[in-house]
Amino acid sequence: MTDTTLSAEDVDSAPKLGRKRDHSRDPEILQAALDVLAEKGYERMTVDMVATRARAGKATLYRRWPSKAELVIDAVACMKSAHPADLPDTGTLRGDLVANIKTPAVKDGERKLRIMAGMVSLMSESPEFADAARAVIVEPRAAALRMLIVRAIDRGEVSPDVDVSLLAQLIPSMTAYQTLMLGKAVDRQYIITLVDEILLPALGLPSGDGTTAGS
């Protein structure tokens, strides 16, 4: 009979299973990374800052993300985008546009712009990352506007000859300028003013009345 008893030396030399990494705190850490990125920018941001904000050990972060760039790329990739299926349908384009301007979403959009501004150096080094960042941060807002304009065209409210892609960039571009170039906050009333005074006239519709009611 074969002796299958292991000696102490055999036990010591046998391969051991590594401890399974706990990824349950990843969302919290990635959120902290985005917060620091929005406040400090990529150049001034450090992994230590993120660890402090997330109340996590630095070693934990470095095991999971060996570099700051990898941490930022993961954080941006995990950002939530808007869901076009949730767009309002009030029966008029202005009604849809105004109903879609929700204060939490406005603040979230402003924060995303600051995050994107903080990643300029990283984006210049990696065109692929720049494309991915734009897809998460910029494109959802323009896509929602495109869908609302196309819906207005389908119901005969707006001429089919308008340049939908170009006009859908008006509000995102002006809010980006307000936030990043002028350093001013973007609120709901500001966006309603853009709708009434710029977007609707550009679409061949009368200017709105500028009220904040969902009309």
Side-chain angles (χ1 to χ4, degrees):
M1 180 179 296
T2 304
D3 184 4
T4 57
T5 303
L6 294 177
S7 66
E9 182 179 351
D10 292 331
V11 172
D12 290 339
S13 62
K16 297 179 176 62
L17 293 175
R19 179 184 299 176
K20 187 176 180 180
R21 290 182 180 175
D22 178 13
H23 296 299
S24 62
R25 294 207 61 206
D26 283 8
E28 185 179 349
I29 293 170
L30 294 174
Q31 184 65 40
L34 293 173
D35 290 341
V36 174
L37 181 62
E39 293 171 10
K40 302 293 185 181
Y42 182 75
E43 295 296 333
R44 291 170 33 189
M45 168 188 180
T46 67
V47 175
D48 289 2
M49 290 177 185
V50 177
T52 300
R53 179 71 60 93
R55 296 182 180 178
K58 290 185 289 185
T60 300
L61 269 70
Y62 280 114
R63 281 196 300 269
R64 182 75 174 84
W65 298 279
S67 71
K68 179 173 69 172
E70 289 173 281
L71 173 60
V72 169
I73 289 170
D74 262 12
V76 171
C78 291
M79 289 175 70
K80 295 180 180 178
S81 1
H83 300 287
D86 297 337
L87 293 175
D89 188 356
T90 65
T92 68
L93 179 57
R94 183 182 187 276
D96 292 346
L97 292 168
V98 172
N100 196 47
I101 304 170
K102 303 176 178 67
T103 299
V106 171
K107 294 300 181 185
D108 181 62
E110 186 177 19
R111 176 174 173 272
K112 286 181 177 180
L113 286 174
R114 295 191 183 280
I115 288 170
M116 192 167 189
M119 297 186 299
V120 170
S121 60
L122 181 59
M123 292 170 66
S124 65
E125 296 171 4
S126 172
E128 296 81 7
F129 176 65
D131 290 341
R134 280 190 288 269
V136 174
I137 297 173
V138 177
E139 175 56 22
R141 303 175 71 191
L145 286 171
R146 286 197 301 270
M147 290 185 68
L148 292 179
I149 294 170
V150 168
R151 184 192 292 167
I153 292 172
D154 290 343
R155 63 182 169 230
E157 187 182 2
V158 172
S159 168
D161 297 329
V162 301
D163 189 332
V164 175
S165 295
L166 177 63
L167 295 177
Q169 296 175 34
L170 284 176
I171 291 179
S173 297
M174 295 197 69
T175 54
Y177 183 80
Q178 175 87 345
T179 300
L180 305 179
M181 302 302 294
L182 301 182
K184 296 181 179 179
V186 170
D187 59 18
R188 188 171 186 270
Q189 183 57 54
Y190 174 76
I191 300 178
I192 290 175
T193 300
L194 295 181
V195 168
D196 288 337
E197 302 301 327
I198 296 176
L199 183 57
L200 293 181
L203 288 165
L205 297 176
S207 299
D209 59 13
T211 61
T212 56
S215 59

